[in-house]
């Protein structure tokens, strides 16, 4: 029996699912006594340091946790569960950490995008049973803006390189903690978790020396999901956002089955977009939550869900905040939520008033769950103009002139799945959302969607150069070479595709095989 400390924020379902998949039962901590009587304690932390420590304090978990840690019984901290062990964090300087280990938690100060999101390697600094059976060149999944800085080198178990070498795992006796997420690191992560659960696993150090480690470019499979006219939830795919063919919604498969297939084929992440979320309300659209729950049972890579994250009043007058919707998605197995239409409205209001409200979905969700949990999905459409001085929008010179020979264009934001264009450009939207706390941009392109013509590199460069958070390039992938192009001609950290994967024209493994030796990818 594994005891799991769920302090109520973020996706602990995937940790529970991962432990279940290894044949172990999980008991969730309900009070301090449960911590004291645990044999093996797992503390998965997702969210923000300040709110985590406040919840631990409010629930009177701090003293039992310290007693447990001091007794040197098996403990596995994950992400914030690692950071909590230290004295304080720059993320919330006014709040103390547990102080079980001496040292602090610092924000990355680098020229690269922060958060550090994706699959990176490990350099091994001490023997551990967690490493039993590893070769040493495996990659594991990270998503964080802060990292620990222990005062004592003796506790350092692994390091990873991102701009500089940082501590990605610690070990002191039976107390182990990782900055990466084993429960989101596919088979390798499950292997590490199994080693933790099996106290008999031998202490080893893998032979492979892989310093400096490298962050891989991510290949993301995207599933646009909606109900068809018969009421069945299907994966669909549009041509420039039109998902109907001869009047019928295209049906490319079942969401849970397809997600499972992509996981097995090596997708680094999976994104579900509830494409009618702008008019439905996800908490009434329970099938989507069921899709997440079922998928997260046996898909152990990060899951993002978008569609319908906004405030809502139901027919009985009950009000829901976007935070309530996001919370339900996280509880159902999502690691990140993606906000589309609502982000445009938030940016428009921000431009009007010139200041943040503190109450928008972006601010509220990132405050509780951390910036890394908030993705902004942008649905822009190219607008050609004759002059670079167009209406104050971010205009670029394009190598693909418009129908009247226009040499300039800007990218107009749309809402409601491309149905409505707004007087806001994609670059401005991305910048405002970053300022308000978004952790990543999912950059679609209506002109390229479903065309197989390749990514819109000009759009991606324009947005990527304007923000310091990671950008997911999306729309238009038609062959493996297009992924090479987007990773070498732009700084995008990841690339997403839908149609070519659904129609089995280019398998994910073919994309990775093509990129191998050219671009760092996870094999
Ligand atoms: O506005 O917060 O409710 O979110 C709705 C979400 O649904 C948004 O993220 C929006 O992008 C998405 N969406 C709405 N309508 C459509 C549609 O297609 N009619 N899908 C839609 C967007 C675009 C990509 C697609 C890539 C790759 N889909 O996600 O997967 O373009 O396709 P390709 O590789 O086949 O070219 P809200």
């Amino acid at each position: 029996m594994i005891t799991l400390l769920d302090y109520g924020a973020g996706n602990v379902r995937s940790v529970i699912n991962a432990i279940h998949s290894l044949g172990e039962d999980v008991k969730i901590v309900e009070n301090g006594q449960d911590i004291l009587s645990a044999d093996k304690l797992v503390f998965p932390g997702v969210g923000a340091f300040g709110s985590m420590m406040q919840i631990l304090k409010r629930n009177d978990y701090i003293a039992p946790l310290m007693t447990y840690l001091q007794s040197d019984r098996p403990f596995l901290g994950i992400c914030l569960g690692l950071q909590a062990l230290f004295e304080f964090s720059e993320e919330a300087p006014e709040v103390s950490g547990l102080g079980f280990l001496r040292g602090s938690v610092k924000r990355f100060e680098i020229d690269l995008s922060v958060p550090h999101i994706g699959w990176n390697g490990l350099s091994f600094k001490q023997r551990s049973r967690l490493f039993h059976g590893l070769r040493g060149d495996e990659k594991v999944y990270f998503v964080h803006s802060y990292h620990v800085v222990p005062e004592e080198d003796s506790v350092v178990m692994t390091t990873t390189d991102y701009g500089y070498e940082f501590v990605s795992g610690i070990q002191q006796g039976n107390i182990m903690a990782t900055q990466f997420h084993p429960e989101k690191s596919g088979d390798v992560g499950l292997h590490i978790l199994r080693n933790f659960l099996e106290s008999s696993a031998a202490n080893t150090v893998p032979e492979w020396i892989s310093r400096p480690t490298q962050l891989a470019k991510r290949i993301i499979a995207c599933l646009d999901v909606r109900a068809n006219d018969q009421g069945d939830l299907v994966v669909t795919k549009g041509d420039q956002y039109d998902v109907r063919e001869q009047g019928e919604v295209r049906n490319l498969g079942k969401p849970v089955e397809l997600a499972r297939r992509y996981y097995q084929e090596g997708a680094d992440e999976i994104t579900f977009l509830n494409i009618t979320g702008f008019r439905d309300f996800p908490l009434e659209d329970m099938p989507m939550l069921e899709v997440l729950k079922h998928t997260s049972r046996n898909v152990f890579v990060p899951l993002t869900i978008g569609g319908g994250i906004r405030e809502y009043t139901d027919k009985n007058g009950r009000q829901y905040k976007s935070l309530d919707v996001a919370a339900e998605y996280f509880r159902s197995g999502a690691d990140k939520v993606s906000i589309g239409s609502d982000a445009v409205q938030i940016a428009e209001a921000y431009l009007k008033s010139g200041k943040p409200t503190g109450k928008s979905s972006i601010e509220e969700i990132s405050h509780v769950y951390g910036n890394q949990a908030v993705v902004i999905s942008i649905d822009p459409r190219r607008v050609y103009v004759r002059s670079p001085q167009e209406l104050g929008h971010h205009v670029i010179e394009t190598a693909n002139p418009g129908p009247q020979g226009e040499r300039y264009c800007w990218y107009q934001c749309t809402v409601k799945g491309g149905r409505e264009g707004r007087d806001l450009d994609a670059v401005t939207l991305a910048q405002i959302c970053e300022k308000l706390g978004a952790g990543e941009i999912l950059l679609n392109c209506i002109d390229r969607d479903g065309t197989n013509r390749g990514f819109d590199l000009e759009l991606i460069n324009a947005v990527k150069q304007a923000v310091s958070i990671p950008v997911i390039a999306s729309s238009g992938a038609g062959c493996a070479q297009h992924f090479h192009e987007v990773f070498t001609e732009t700084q995008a950290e990841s690339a997403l595709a839908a149609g070519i994967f659904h129609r089995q024209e280019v398998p994910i493994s073919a994309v990775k095989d093509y990129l191998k030796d050219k671009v760092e990818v996870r094999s």
Side-chain angles (χ1 to χ4, degrees):
M1 171 74 72
I2 308 300
T3 305
L4 185 123
L5 177 54
D6 172 13
Y7 66 93
N11 173 15
V12 294
R13 178 176 286 269
S14 54
V15 181
I16 298 171
N17 288 337
I19 296 173
H20 281 163
S21 81
L22 298 170
E24 280 279 356
D25 289 335
V26 176
K27 176 180 171 45
I28 310 276
V29 168
E30 284 171 10
N31 52 50
Q33 189 52 41
D34 290 338
I35 297 177
L36 293 172
S37 53
D39 291 327
K40 289 191 178 111
L41 184 64
V42 177
F43 180 13
V46 189
F49 188 90
S51 57
M52 168 187 67
M53 290 310 303
Q54 276 158 359
I55 297 171
L56 291 181
K57 201 167 167 192
R58 201 182 315 136
N59 291 339
D60 290 329
Y61 286 166
I62 291 188
L65 249 179
M66 286 302 285
T67 307
Y68 183 91
L69 291 164
Q70 277 150 1
S71 72
D72 197 36
R73 274 174 285 164
F75 173 91
L76 181 65
I78 300 173
C79 193
L80 273 188
L82 158 69
Q83 298 180 7
L85 299 175
F86 288 82
E87 291 164 298
F88 72 93
S89 169
E90 283 181 3
E91 191 180 2
E94 69 289 355
V95 181
S96 303
L98 292 173
F100 176 72
L101 296 175
R102 293 201 4 236
S104 60
V105 183
K106 291 201 171 358
R107 191 176 159 85
F108 275 111
E109 276 176 35
I110 44 179
D111 287 338
L112 302 168
S113 299
V114 177
H116 169 223
I117 300 183
W119 299 75
N120 205 332
L122 299 171
S123 301
F124 303 90
K125 303 295 174 184
Q126 49 164 302
R127 303 175 86 78
S128 170
R129 75 168 192 254
L130 296 186
F131 309 147
H132 178 69
L134 295 191
R135 289 184 312 271
D137 61 344
E138 293 88 351
K139 289 195 190 288
V140 287
Y141 187 78
F142 289 86
V143 51
H144 61 126
S145 302
Y146 296 81
H147 61 86
V148 298
V149 184
E151 269 182 28
E152 275 114 46
D153 286 347
S154 60
V155 301
V156 177
M157 177 172 71
T158 57
T159 62
T160 295
D161 297 271
Y162 188 61
Y164 48 75
E165 185 181 12
F166 72 92
V167 173
S168 54
I170 64 96
Q171 178 173 261
Q172 179 177 284
N174 277 315
I175 312 302
M176 294 159 235
T178 62
Q179 184 59 65
F180 59 89
H181 289 263
E183 79 285 6
K184 288 286 147 192
S185 298
D187 288 345
V188 173
L190 293 179
H191 188 95
I192 291 173
L193 269 180
R194 184 181 296 114
N195 285 343
F196 171 74
L197 302 182
E198 288 175 7
S199 324
S200 57
N203 276 328
T204 47
V205 172
E207 281 173 15
W208 188 280
I209 310 284
S210 53
R211 272 223 70 206
T213 66
Q214 269 186 290
L215 180 67
K217 297 287 186 183
R218 282 169 285 152
I219 308 298
I220 302 177
C222 182
L223 291 80
D224 289 354
V225 179
R226 61 162 287 171
N228 64 11
D229 299 327
Q230 290 72 47
D232 302 320
L233 205 63
V234 297
V235 175
T236 189
K237 184 67 211 65
D239 286 333
Q240 301 183 315
Y241 283 37
D242 179 2
V243 299
R244 288 186 183 268
E245 196 168 288
Q246 291 164 354
E248 295 277 315
V249 172
R250 271 194 206 95
N251 180 349
L252 292 166
K254 295 187 177 159
V256 179
E257 280 173 20
L258 268 190
R260 173 87 185 137
R261 192 182 99 206
Y262 295 142
Y263 170 61
Q264 285 165 340
E265 290 178 1
D268 296 316
E269 261 181 64
I270 291 169
T271 295
F272 290 107
L273 296 177
N274 179 359
I275 67 168
T276 49
F278 70 88
R279 60 170 183 241
D280 306 329
F281 178 51
L283 300 187
E284 279 169 3
D285 185 15
M286 301 309 270
M288 211 52 217
L289 299 177
E290 288 303 310
V291 164
L292 268 179
K293 286 179 190 161
H294 281 94
T295 303
S296 64
R297 257 180 225 152
N298 47 26
V299 169
F300 299 107
V301 293
L303 300 176
T304 302
I305 171 96
I309 300 189
R310 60 189 160 86
E311 285 179 3
Y312 183 83
T313 307
D314 72 11
K315 44 189 177 298
N316 303 318
R318 181 167 169 201
Q319 291 192 323
Y320 295 85
K321 293 167 78 170
S322 40
L323 190 60
D324 300 326
V325 183
E328 203 51 45
Y329 276 149
F330 289 125
R331 268 195 291 277
S332 302
D335 300 287
K336 306 187 238 182
V337 294
S338 131
I339 304 175
S341 305
D342 198 42
V344 175
Q345 274 159 21
I346 292 166
E348 287 173 343
Y350 179 90
L351 284 173
K352 220 180 207 169
S353 70
K355 54 179 192 290
T357 61
K359 293 189 171 13
S360 70
S361 54
I362 302 172
E363 290 156 286
E364 287 199 333
I365 299 170
S366 63
H367 178 70
V368 178
Y369 294 95
N371 309 37
Q372 81 294 330
V374 180
V375 182
I376 304 301
S377 170
I378 308 185
D379 299 314
R381 183 179 276 127
R382 200 177 251 244
V383 178
Y384 285 103
V385 286
R386 295 214 165 269
S387 142
Q389 276 90 37
E390 173 72 17
L391 307 167
H393 291 305
H394 280 266
V395 172
I396 62 159
E397 186 165 6
T398 174
N400 309 302
Q404 313 297 325
E406 300 95 330
R407 285 179 35 235
Y408 299 93
C409 71
W410 63 284
Y411 290 92
Q412 180 185 33
C413 292
T414 66
V415 293
K416 302 179 184 168
R419 288 170 181 77
E420 194 182 310
R422 311 290 303 186
D423 189 26
L424 175 71
D425 67 74
V427 173
T428 305
L429 175 64
Q431 286 175 317
I432 293 175
C433 292
E434 174 178 18
K435 209 177 281 174
L436 295 179
E440 199 171 20
I441 302 289
L442 163 51
L443 188 54
N444 302 298
C445 175
I446 297 182
D447 314 274
R448 295 294 175 109
D449 176 57
T451 63
N452 289 13
R453 280 169 46 219
F455 298 94
D456 188 331
L457 305 178
E458 293 177 338
L459 165 66
I460 297 159
N461 276 324
V463 171
K464 182 66 206 160
Q465 283 157 14
V467 295
S468 61
I469 52 179
V471 170
I472 303 167
S474 165
S475 304
C479 58
Q481 287 87 332
H482 288 153
F483 290 85
H484 182 247
E485 204 172 78
V486 79
F487 288 139
T488 50
E489 293 182 36
T490 81
Q491 298 290 317
E493 281 80 3
S494 51
L496 171 151
I500 53 167
F501 297 151
H502 301 336
R503 294 186 298 268
Q504 308 204 24
E505 289 163 9
V506 186
I508 292 169
S509 56
V511 174
K512 294 233 176 146
D513 283 348
Y514 182 83
L515 293 177
K516 202 167 58 188
D517 305 328
K518 301 184 185 78
V519 170
E520 185 76 9
V521 286
R522 176 180 72 112
S523 50

